[in-house]
Amino acid sequence: MMRDIWLVPALPLAGAVLLGLLGGKIPARLAAVIGASSVGLAAALAIRIALLWFAAPPPGDAFLLPLWTWITLPKFSAVVGLLIDPVSLVLILVISVIGFFIHLFSAEYMEGENGYARYFAYLNLFVASMLLLVLANDLLVMFVGWEGVGVCSYLLVGFWFEEENNGEAAQKSFIVTRVADIAMLIGILILALRFGTLDISTVLHGAVSAWPPGSFWPAVVAGLLLVGGLGKSAQVPLQTWLPDAMAGPTPVSALIHAATMVTAGVYLVVRLHVLFLLAPAVLHGIALGAALTVLLAACAGLVQSDIKRVLAYSTMGQIGYMFLGLGVGAWGAAMFHLASHAIFKALLFLSSGAVSMRLHHEQNIFAMGGLRTKLPLAFAAFLVGALCLAAVPVVGCGFFSKEFLLGAVWAQNPLLWGVGILGAFLTGVYIFRAVFTVFFGASVDVSGAYGVRVILPLTVLALAALGFGWLQTPDFLGGANIFSNVLAPALGGAATDASWPVALIGMAAPLAGIGLAYALHQNGFWRRQGAASPGLFVRFLQGGMGFDALYRAIFVKPFLWTVRVLKDDPVDQVFQLLQRAAVGLHKRLREEQNGKLRRYAGWMMAGSLATILAVVFS
Amino acid sequence: MIVSWQAPASLALILFLLGLAALLARRNLVFVLMSVEIMLNAAGLLFIAAGMRWGTPDGQIMFIAVLNLAGAELAVGLILLLRLRGRLTTLDGDAAVLLRDSS
């Protein structure tokens, strides 16, 4: 049964190929069936493998399925293989199951759109790439999945390519992550040169025995790999593409933010955590960058008026929390937050998609209001997601994962913990700003009802978001540690629980944030903020703290200037000068060839005279 | 009376310049041919003057050769003239610019 693991990425890939080849020729309904069922089958298979795994883990808690030899060179070889261990097992469950529900939702959400089959082909390819990424036993194979995810994000963000802005957003997401990937590729190549293979376990063992902790090379390699991870996971300073990536359809945002793409950076660090442990400086850098990201995302989230951009910044912040955990070495906690975030962020995006479905794709929260009674299902789903995101105590999975994670951060660095608490407070404020603005107050008109393909994903994900957290609870709530026990063979034991006051502050912060959001809703502050034209500072926050402007000034403008200069090939201009001189001379001389006999005779005489004079006087 | 060689040489120069002037001035191709003949005869005269100067018959021999050449050239030239007149219905030399590209 374990050997069937290759089917998990192969099924969505087959779906993508099938839809890509037949796309235009089959009815839309069949395209949706193929798209959703390929991922659904992969999900069922992943669940079956997981059940077998938990019943009887294989020896060494890892199962390697070698497929074929890709490259054999005298000093280098690469074997394509799939590796199941607790980390990849958790991730294929998250990706395939949540991916399936997003496919199901898409089938209804995208109904009637042009390129329906093309959409599902991209979506399937996206899931297949991500599954390959997490299952790869070899960094080279992982890089294939990594780039596949990048390509699919480009295709899906620019899905509505008729509008120029969408194409630009797609290019931005592609180019920013590509720049990061170059750094990652250099890191991978250094490892390949040093160890002659990119097999992950061989490389990690080699690194531990070859490099002492804190030495130069692991810091360089880990730093370069980290840049790739930061780009994919939209962390400071490579976060600018994420808000623009909202140009894609809403289920795509759900897929990018929950199951695929942005979690790849977290996975990379977790997978290679042995290497990162050799480079403490890089880990400190991760923690610092993550703290910045958490604050930046929370501040930017406070002033967005587009509901999807609010969620985009919340993703950035939540991934920031994961990196905060990684920075202090809490791999298991980061993985737990990754899984729980995947559930509640998919829920949030899908419910916001469900809301805008009924409002003719309106996304401005100030154009909504009072939808609590009109769209009870979307309201309930969004509320559960928001409660999880804000980490309201005991209610959703977000509370348990954030509690777990911040507890680990507290044990390492109270200052970073303080930043995390501040971020949690602001998260509570901005997400409930959206909740109160969209679902309370004066109501707007909506029409239509949801089909089963929307109801089912929202219901299942909401239930999962409520229940998932109980896999890993703090001591005072039973002290379950099922999740960290699963991961223990790969990542080591669970972190110690934080003390009472720490946990209490962690619980109080989001509640205070929600209270503030409610108070400001009651006195109408949010509505006034939405109606007023934004001031300089607010616009600064809305634009993600000027990173876009900064990059435009530093990178984009000079690049475009260079392009304009080089467009006409300045070196070639020199040679063009020669050509122009020859052409000019030619024109001048051609005028002399006018066929006038007498002119010719005159010139002949003049030439003869000149020759005679030259002979006589020389 | 003994004529010095300078006199026929000067006459040759004058004849040549007259021929040249006519060649540059006249458009009628018959006159052009005639002016070419004058220039050729000027050259022949110069040969004879040169023969006088050095006291050899070579100059007169060359003149006979030039006369033959002129006769042959005239025959070719007149045929060209006739063909041209048949094609252009004019004897204007400036009208014969058919090989020139149009620009």
Side-chain angles (χ1 to χ4, degrees), chain A residues 590 594-595 598 601-602 605, chain B residues 20 24-26 94 100-101 103:
Chain A
R590 209 172 61 160
N594 52 11
R598 298 177 303 146
M605 279 305 130
Chain B
L20 180 62
L24 293 184
R26 299 306 293 250
D94 284 358
R100 191 185 162 196
D101 65 4
S103 76

Side-chain angles (χ1 to χ4, degrees), chain A residues 19 23 114-123 155-156 158-161:
Chain A
L19 287 170
N114 281 331
Y116 193 69
R118 178 166 62 92
Y119 173 83
F120 277 102
Y122 293 163
L123 223 55
L155 293 171
L156 284 167
F159 181 74
W160 287 314
F161 55 81

Side-chain angles (χ1 to χ4, degrees), chain A residues 82 88 110 113 160 221 233 239 266 379-380 466 475:
Chain A
L82 300 178
S88 58
M110 297 296 287
E113 292 279 350
W160 287 314
V221 173
S233 291
Q239 83 289 15
V266 181
F379 168 64
L466 291 174
D475 280 344

Side-chain angles (χ1 to χ4, degrees), chain A residues 265-514:
Chain A
V266 181
Y267 169 74
L268 181 76
V269 179
V270 170
R271 175 57 83 203
L272 301 174
H273 68 275
V274 177
L275 179 66
F276 280 84
L277 280 176
L278 297 178
V282 175
L283 281 180
H284 288 142
I286 293 179
L288 198 67
L292 278 177
T293 310
V294 167
L295 287 183
L296 183 147
C299 293
L302 272 176
V303 291
Q304 303 299 320
S305 54
D306 182 325
I307 188 166
K308 284 180 72 182
R309 286 179 93 91
V310 174
L311 296 179
Y313 278 107
S314 78
T315 300
M316 200 186 283
Q318 297 309 303
I319 307 275
Y321 278 109
M322 292 173 214
F323 270 95
L324 203 59
L326 297 176
V328 299
W331 325 113
M335 283 297 295
F336 188 50
H337 196 53
L338 191 162
S340 93
H341 169 256
I343 296 171
F344 69 72
K345 188 50 63 68
L347 181 64
L348 278 170
F349 265 113
L350 294 187
S351 51
S352 82
V355 169
S356 55
M357 256 169 103
R358 293 279 84 89
L359 291 171
H360 310 289
H361 294 279
E362 177 62 60
Q363 290 175 0
N364 186 347
I365 54 173
F366 297 113
M368 306 173 187
L371 297 175
R372 178 171 36 114
T373 47
K374 301 274 177 79
L375 301 169
L377 175 73
F379 168 64
F382 197 88
L383 185 65
V384 170
L387 289 170
C388 289
L389 175 63
V392 173
V394 189
V395 177
C397 56
F399 161 71
F400 298 99
S401 60
K402 204 176 270 184
E403 183 71 27
F404 189 36
L405 197 145
L406 285 178
V409 174
W410 166 262
Q412 291 286 323
N413 191 333
L415 195 64
L416 291 176
W417 174 83
V419 173
I421 292 298
L422 182 59
F425 169 72
L426 291 173
T427 307
V429 176
Y430 74 69
I431 192 63
F432 274 86
R433 163 180 177 264
V435 170
F436 289 131
T437 312
V438 172
F439 294 103
F440 291 81
S443 66
V444 295
D445 272 341
V446 291
S447 56
Y450 296 121
V452 69
R453 288 169 298 174
V454 166
I455 296 170
L456 187 67
L458 290 182
T459 317
V460 173
L461 285 172
L463 291 177
L466 291 174
F468 181 71
W470 294 96
L471 292 179
Q472 182 77 34
T473 54
D475 280 344
F476 54 87
L477 284 170
N481 45 14
I482 301 166
F483 194 85
S484 56
N485 279 348
V486 168
L487 289 179
L491 301 175
T496 49
D497 249 322
S499 54
W500 261 99
V502 174
L504 214 57
I505 295 173
M507 288 194 274
L511 290 177
I514 294 169

Side-chain angles (χ1 to χ4, degrees), chain A residues 194-195 200-211 278:
Chain A
R194 186 73 177 71
F195 299 109
I200 291 171
S201 61
T202 318
V203 165
L204 291 181
H205 282 126
V208 169
S209 57
W211 290 329
L278 297 178

Side-chain angles (χ1 to χ4, degrees), chain B residues 2-79:
Chain B
I2 295 178
V3 183
S4 69
W5 65 271
Q6 281 94 343
S10 305
L11 182 62
L13 182 63
I14 291 164
L15 270 178
F16 186 84
L17 289 180
L18 276 174
L20 180 62
L23 177 72
L24 293 184
R26 299 306 293 250
R27 284 161 63 182
N28 191 320
L29 284 170
V30 177
F31 284 93
V32 168
L33 265 181
M34 282 165 68
S35 54
V36 168
E37 287 305 306
I38 291 171
M39 287 163 80
L40 273 171
N41 280 313
L45 191 56
L46 195 59
F47 274 120
I48 292 172
M52 273 173 72
R53 163 68 180 77
W54 280 286
T56 58
D58 296 2
Q60 294 169 35
I61 297 168
M62 279 307 287
F63 179 63
I64 305 293
V66 169
L67 271 187
N68 283 318
L69 191 77
E73 171 252 299
L74 200 61
V76 174
L78 282 172
I79 292 170

